[in-house]
Amino acid sequence: MQGLMMDTPLLISSLIRHADRYHGDTEIVSRLVEGGGIHRYSYREAHNRARKLANALTALGVKMNDRVATLAWNGFRHFEAYYAAAGMGAVSHTINPRLFPEQIIYIANHAEDRYVFVDLTFVPLVEAIADKCPLVKGWIFMTDKAHMPPTKLANVLCYEELIDAHSDDFDWPEFDERTASSLCYTSGTTGNPKGVLYSHRSTIIHCYASSMPDALNISARDVILPVVPMFHVNAWGLPYCAAMVGAKLVFPGAGLDGASVFELFEKEKVTVSAGVPTVWLGLLAFMKQNNKRFSALKRTVIGGSACPPAMIRSFEKDYGVQVIHAWGMTEMSPLGTVNTFKAKHNDWDAERRLGLQNNQGRAIFGVDMKIVDDAGKDLPWDGKAFGDLLVRGPWICKEYYRAEGGNPLRKDEHGRGWFPTGDVCNIDADGYMQITDRSKDVIKSGGEWISSIDLENTAVAHPAVAEAAVVGIRHPKWDERPLLVVVKKKDAQVTREELLKFFEGKVAKWWMPDDVVFVDQLPHTATGKLLKTKLREDFKDYKLPTDTSP
Ligand code: AMP
């Protein structure tokens, strides 16, 4: 027997409609990419303009399921593009502009993007790649007529002119909630970037779950500033959550340095923020140097890589800001676990509570997780045994876009599929998870991934290099930076400088190894693979020349 309740689909358009109706005058504030000034309007105006944009995209021929991409910072037009594309049944595809141009070309072609919204910062980038993206019918510059830059590109449209030409009379269509809504590529260790294709249903359920008090804890009383970019897993879902709960939104645009972010925190009375550890390093350094205090900030969500204990301590002790340490991944929309206390921790002293906050927290309802050994056998939750972390749930990816990489799921004894996170961790009896290592060897630099394999492949292309390995070395500013370890060919000569020069133009600038070390041989596993764990151990105390800490 089936339940007899309405089957209204969970659609992204309902979020902006709700925000308009119940929080119509709540503000969305953005730092403009053009000129750095402040733009201010309301959810009601955002909704009107999203509908105009949906009409404009329809007039351009964008249809259900078509991919509409963005190369943009966090701002109000990006927000409108999210809602217009998904709301009309197309797919909002956020491209990470920090990727190497070759990867962006690959991604735009793989996704078959029809139109691309472009912030002015990225005009030179699209000018360089446009002729390799034949499927893109138009590049929509996210600005007004007065700020349109001269360009040699054909097929350029001006955002403001585009929406000015259309009415806001647009009825958001109703369709199956499992329809694709947004697309985000993740660059792993091997092969090409893979697309994670979210649905309306997964987005809305993730949004409910991540707004809860023991998750990101946001409400209509909050002012949220997502520092995490909208091209990183939809800014961890915050543009959706904010509309769901009616929180004021503050978008920092391209100004992500400590001073600019702090100014917005204070002027707009931001209560909650979110970002990767690197961003907070910059902010904390600025605060210390200038002897600043937060007047409104209550909480900050830190995730994307492990939050250093010193950072948690500084936020909490020096500034009275609660750190919400969270773990997730692109394939999980992204929220998996969040570190919040239970009632039984109330009488723990401050030090013990700080200690607990260093781990990645408990699964939020909706995420099921387990740890298994190499044979796939479940491991106990005793805080000691560690193994591969597997997850399942309604906002976790079951397959990559266009089946890239085959079926990623691992079946359990009941035939149910689990997504292998690639992280290795332990879980204690209370369900608190701690990442002890990751099976992936990617290097996390400033919240971005650097593929060690790509760098190794580049190095071994040099005629004097026999073998190369790249490992991430701890870095006070960037979290990790790549160190290149090289075995020279017999009798061949090459210097550190010559090798680094060889990388120029072959990899993105920020992917460049920070240093090169020459060794006689590299450690290998029994099957001949590089033994990265041993290398990391060998170089764990290595100090990079770019590390200026005492
Ligand atoms: P991404 O898909 O780029 O968001 O990266 C996901 C990966 O980042 C995870 O599989 C983890 O390896 C890592 N990660 C995310 N959050 C944390 C955290 N709080 N602590 C440690 N590692 C993290």
Side-chain angles (χ1 to χ4, degrees):
M1 185 166 31
Q2 296 243 305
L4 294 172
M5 309 309 280
M6 284 192 202
D7 218 358
T8 53
L10 302 172
L11 297 176
I12 284 172
S13 53
S14 62
L15 295 173
I16 189 78
R17 195 163 38 207
H18 176 86
D20 175 349
R21 191 164 300 154
Y22 296 97
H23 308 279
D25 62 352
T26 298
E27 281 182 317
I28 299 176
V29 178
S30 312
R31 195 185 287 285
L32 290 166
V33 174
E34 61 274 41
I38 295 294
H39 175 274
R40 198 179 285 278
Y41 72 168
S42 64
Y43 275 115
R44 182 147 306 136
E45 287 164 278
H47 188 201
N48 284 348
R49 283 168 51 93
R51 284 177 303 190
K52 284 183 175 202
L53 184 56
N55 271 326
L57 291 173
T58 306
L60 288 172
V62 173
K63 296 193 187 56
M64 191 87 189
N65 299 332
D66 276 352
R67 272 75 63 205
V68 179
T70 59
L71 274 166
W73 301 108
N74 293 5
F76 70 104
R77 294 189 186 103
H78 203 172
F79 181 82
E80 291 162 7
Y82 263 46
Y83 279 100
M88 66 190 282
V91 178
S92 149
H93 171 205
T94 52
I95 306 182
N96 182 345
R98 294 185 185 139
L99 291 173
F100 201 51
E102 289 307 319
Q103 288 170 312
I104 297 179
I105 294 166
Y106 170 84
I107 287 173
N109 287 328
H110 190 266
E112 299 178 335
D113 294 327
R114 294 285 175 250
Y115 284 89
V116 184
F117 291 100
V118 185
D119 256 337
L120 294 188
T121 322
F122 307 116
V123 167
L125 169 69
V126 297
E127 284 177 335
I129 64 170
D131 61 345
K132 302 220 177 62
C133 303
L135 300 175
V136 175
K137 291 203 265 181
W139 306 90
I140 305 170
F141 288 5
M142 299 167 91
T143 190
D144 54 19
K145 196 169 174 213
H147 290 90
M148 279 298 278
T151 176
K152 55 179 193 223
L153 268 187
N155 314 328
V156 169
L157 297 152
C158 166
Y159 188 99
E160 292 299 330
E161 280 193 309
L162 191 64
I163 66 167
D164 274 354
H166 290 273
S167 97
D168 62 7
D169 184 8
F170 185 92
D171 264 336
W172 298 116
E174 256 195 31
F175 42 75
D176 187 336
E177 65 185 20
R178 289 163 300 182
T179 303
S181 59
S182 66
L183 175 64
C184 187
Y185 279 73
T186 179
S187 22
T189 39
T190 49
N192 285 314
K194 295 203 262 305
V196 180
L197 189 60
Y198 310 100
S199 69
H200 285 258
R201 174 186 152 81
S202 71
T203 305
I204 301 277
I205 304 179
H206 175 262
C207 199
Y208 274 120
S210 43
S211 302
M212 300 252 289
D214 265 347
L216 307 185
N217 186 14
I218 54 169
S219 74
R221 287 153 314 279
D222 279 312
V223 180
I224 306 177
L225 188 152
V227 179
V228 51
M230 289 167 79
F231 54 77
H232 267 182
V233 214
N234 296 318
W236 300 349
L238 286 170
Y240 304 122
C241 296
M244 180 180 269
V245 304
K248 172 175 163 181
L249 263 174
V250 183
F251 289 126
L256 297 177
D257 57 289
S260 308
V261 174
F262 180 75
E263 185 190 274
L264 276 184
F265 274 153
E266 288 306 294
K267 283 216 172 116
E268 302 304 328
K269 303 203 172 0
V270 172
T271 59
V272 184
S273 192
V276 297
T278 310
V279 171
W280 302 129
L281 273 178
L283 179 75
L284 289 178
F286 169 83
M287 305 275 299
K288 272 217 166 73
Q289 268 158 24
N290 298 280
N291 210 12
K292 300 277 190 196
R293 314 285 310 164
F294 295 110
S295 60
L297 190 67
K298 294 196 190 99
R299 301 180 293 286
T300 185
V301 184
I302 305 187
S305 53
C307 182
M311 180 174 288
I312 300 180
R313 182 178 292 274
S314 182
F315 264 117
E316 304 235 345
K317 294 237 155 166
D318 305 341
Y319 300 104
V321 173
Q322 184 202 346
V323 169
I324 304 177
H325 190 186
W327 164 88
M329 54 195 312
T330 309
E331 289 88 338
M332 299 178 71
S333 306
L335 211 54
T337 64
V338 184
N339 194 318
T340 55
F341 296 118
K342 300 185 180 190
K344 69 179 183 184
H345 301 128
N346 286 346
D347 19 300
W348 281 23
D349 63 38
E351 280 307 307
R352 206 167 158 207
R353 281 162 69 99
L354 272 176
L356 184 63
Q357 280 176 286
N358 291 337
N359 70 42
Q360 280 71 14
R362 296 176 276 122
I364 52 174
F365 177 75
V367 172
D368 206 359
M369 63 184 191
K370 62 175 182 173
I371 37 175
V372 296
D373 63 16
D374 279 350
K377 204 165 95 23
D378 282 19
L379 291 166
W381 290 20
D382 57 7
K384 289 190 200 92
F386 59 88
D388 285 328
L389 177 62
L390 309 185
V391 290
R392 66 194 304 264
W395 57 80
I396 296 167
C397 139
K398 65 173 178 192
E399 181 180 324
Y400 291 99
Y401 182 48
R402 293 172 63 181
E404 213 59 58
N407 180 358
L409 303 189
R410 283 202 217 155
K411 285 238 164 88
D412 65 14
E413 66 275 23
H414 309 291
R416 298 186 189 118
W418 290 76
F419 183 84
T421 63
D423 288 320
V424 175
C425 69
N426 63 55
I427 305 177
D428 74 11
D430 285 332
Y432 286 82
M433 183 271 278
Q434 181 166 36
I435 295 189
T436 53
D437 199 355
R438 49 180 183 252
S439 47
K440 305 161 188 163
D441 293 319
V442 287
I443 295 147
K444 284 231 152 179
S445 176
E448 302 281 349
W449 281 24
I450 298 177
S451 160
S452 55
I453 291 183
D454 274 15
L455 295 181
E456 286 156 15
N457 288 346
T458 307
V460 293
H462 190 283
V465 174
E467 198 180 11
V470 174
V471 285
I473 299 288
R474 297 294 303 166
H475 190 282
K477 173 149 188 226
W478 299 110
D479 197 17
E480 283 184 345
R481 290 295 305 156
L483 169 72
L484 173 63
V485 188
V486 169
V487 180
K488 281 189 242 177
K489 283 188 186 149
K490 202 167 177 291
D491 300 324
Q493 284 311 318
V494 63
T495 64
R496 171 189 183 276
E497 284 64 33
E498 284 164 356
L499 259 185
L500 289 177
K501 184 120 195 76
F502 183 73
F503 275 82
E504 278 173 25
K506 297 192 178 72
V507 300
K509 269 208 188 91
W510 58 274
W511 277 40
M512 291 286 280
D514 278 20
D515 205 1
V516 184
V517 171
F518 295 97
V519 293
D520 290 333
Q521 55 179 24
L522 288 166
H524 293 95
T525 66
T527 52
K529 293 203 191 78
L530 276 173
L531 195 53
K532 290 274 180 79
T533 44
K534 170 82 169 64
L535 263 185
R536 273 196 285 268
E537 183 57 30
D538 290 349
F539 287 95
K540 77 176 189 311
D541 296 320
Y542 191 83
K543 194 161 155 76
L544 291 164
T546 48
D547 175 355
T548 50
S549 64

